[in-house]
Amino acid sequence: MLSFILRRVVIAIPTIILISIFVFTLQKLLPGDPVLAMAGEERDPQVLEFLREKYRLNDPIPVQYFTWIGNALRGDLGISLRTNQPVLELIAQKLPVTIQLAAMAMIFALLIGIPAGIFSAVKKGTIVDYIANVVALSGLSIPNFWLGIMLILLVSVKWKLLPASGYVPLSEDPVRSITVMIMPAFVLGTALAATLMRHTRSAMLGVLNSDYVRTARAKGLVERRVILKHAFRNALTPIVTLTALLFGELIAGAVLTEQIFTIPGFGKLVVDAVFNRDYAVVQGIVLVTAVGFIFMNLLADVAYVLLNPRLRKQ
């Protein structure tokens, strides 16, 4: 197991390096000058030159990259050009918000997607199967921003059941925090639930016709036990792997949902940074997101090996 993890880590290192080069280079190709954005209306040439020297923007691009990546390896992702705060501090403030949103969205996705996938596979070809597939297709097709706006109009404005927007830290008021997050988490989790439903259905169909399931039924075991203990347990491997990967996507892909519900998380931070040409913040966010996504891939690989004993011997 240790050698397997080490091999995955070695593969991940060049991936992170390539991502860092791509992000840094692409950021430099964006139009606009961050120094002009910082200076505002006071565009004294001496002040502009001082700012460029201060943030080493006059250095050649390769020098800027190696300086940035060297500092990043020491835990220094730079200083925000707009707020003058350390980028790592900004990320530490916003990341827990997005992680809470992603975790609640994943709970919704698991509670909806896995049972629906199991029922659809067991009732293959029936009306239950058709309804589940239609619902799953709808979940994949409906844009998150449209669903979010409709829920705000109905649930918050018309029925006044849940808050329309905002955020309350979990440490301050857990009940209020969860209440505020229910609607955006549901919006973010619907598409994932549809994906999980389709994969769960496919995995279950693959094992329901296997020999060990037929043997379990021939022994007279209760159908519920056959499905949950014998079939679902063996279909769980690709589902767990997919769940880990989808959670990484949630953290990186909550931008629109956070904007709609005015949640001060990772997504809002990166949107503000892009509009303000805050290069250091954008680079830091993308680098942290890429590392997090690679880490979730590593967890998915480890989970796959733990759930499939045959792979432990490789």
Side-chain angles (χ1 to χ4, degrees):
M1 175 64 73
L2 182 60
S3 61
F4 172 81
I5 295 175
L6 289 175
R7 286 200 304 270
R8 292 298 180 181
V9 171
V10 170
I11 294 173
I13 291 174
T15 305
I16 295 174
I17 293 174
L18 289 174
I19 290 173
S20 67
I21 294 173
F22 177 76
V23 170
F24 188 87
T25 305
L26 189 64
Q27 185 75 8
K28 293 300 180 183
L29 295 177
L30 291 176
D33 188 343
V35 172
L36 294 178
M38 291 173 60
E41 296 181 359
E42 299 293 334
R43 297 187 176 182
D44 189 309
Q46 293 182 345
V47 174
L48 296 179
E49 186 62 26
F50 169 77
L51 291 173
R52 288 193 177 94
E53 288 295 332
K54 178 182 178 180
Y55 293 104
R56 307 190 68 170
L57 297 176
N58 286 333
D59 292 346
I61 290 180
V63 175
Q64 292 183 42
Y65 169 76
F66 284 110
T67 301
W68 172 67
I69 201 66
N71 292 333
L73 292 173
R74 295 192 293 270
D76 180 11
L77 295 176
I79 303 295
S80 170
L81 301 178
R82 188 170 67 94
T83 64
N84 208 33
Q85 288 181 267
V87 174
L88 198 59
E89 182 180 311
L90 287 172
I91 291 175
Q93 293 172 358
K94 304 298 184 181
L95 186 57
V97 180
T98 301
I99 289 178
Q100 180 187 348
L101 175 62
M104 291 182 63
M106 182 55 69
I107 291 172
F108 274 116
L110 292 172
L111 291 177
I112 297 171
I114 291 181
I118 294 174
F119 275 110
S120 180
V122 173
K123 303 292 184 180
K124 180 184 176 183
T126 65
I127 187 66
V128 174
D129 185 25
Y130 292 127
I131 292 174
N133 278 283
V134 169
V135 172
L137 184 60
S138 301
L140 291 171
S141 305
I142 297 175
N144 283 352
F145 68 87
W146 183 86
L147 181 60
I149 293 171
M150 291 299 103
L151 285 178
I152 289 174
L153 289 174
L154 291 175
V155 179
S156 299
V157 177
K158 186 175 181 179
W159 298 333
K160 303 185 185 303
L161 297 176
L162 293 171
S165 61
Y167 173 72
V168 178
L170 197 61
S171 56
E172 290 185 10
D173 188 345
V175 175
R176 178 69 176 172
S177 177
I178 293 173
T179 303
V180 171
M181 281 290 198
I182 285 177
M183 201 152 54
F186 178 79
V187 169
L188 199 57
T190 49
L192 297 184
T195 303
L196 277 173
M197 179 267 166
R198 298 291 298 172
H199 280 78
T200 302
R201 180 181 184 275
S202 177
M204 286 292 293
L205 288 176
V207 299
L208 282 174
N209 294 323
S210 58
D211 293 336
Y212 54 84
V213 172
R214 283 196 292 267
T215 302
R217 283 171 171 159
K219 289 181 178 179
L221 295 180
V222 179
E223 184 68 12
R224 180 184 300 176
R225 187 177 181 185
V226 172
I227 293 170
L228 295 180
K229 184 176 179 180
H230 295 275
F232 181 61
R233 177 183 290 183
N234 286 279
L236 197 59
T237 302
I239 298 171
V240 171
T241 307
L242 177 68
T243 301
L245 297 178
L246 288 177
F247 188 79
E249 289 184 11
L250 273 177
I251 295 177
V255 176
L256 278 177
T257 305
E258 289 183 356
Q259 289 292 109
I260 292 169
F261 291 95
T262 323
I263 299 174
F266 226 37
K268 193 172 188 307
L269 179 63
V270 71
V271 170
D272 292 342
V274 169
F275 277 116
N276 290 287
R277 300 186 182 90
D278 201 341
Y279 292 168
V281 175
V282 175
Q283 292 165 358
I285 289 173
V286 175
L287 184 63
V288 170
T289 303
V291 172
F293 194 80
I294 290 172
F295 177 72
M296 294 306 299
N297 272 271
L298 178 62
L299 286 183
D301 290 337
V302 172
Y304 195 84
V305 172
L306 291 175
L307 290 170
N308 193 339
R310 291 173 295 181
L311 297 177
R312 299 176 196 173
K313 301 178 182 179
Q314 296 181 4

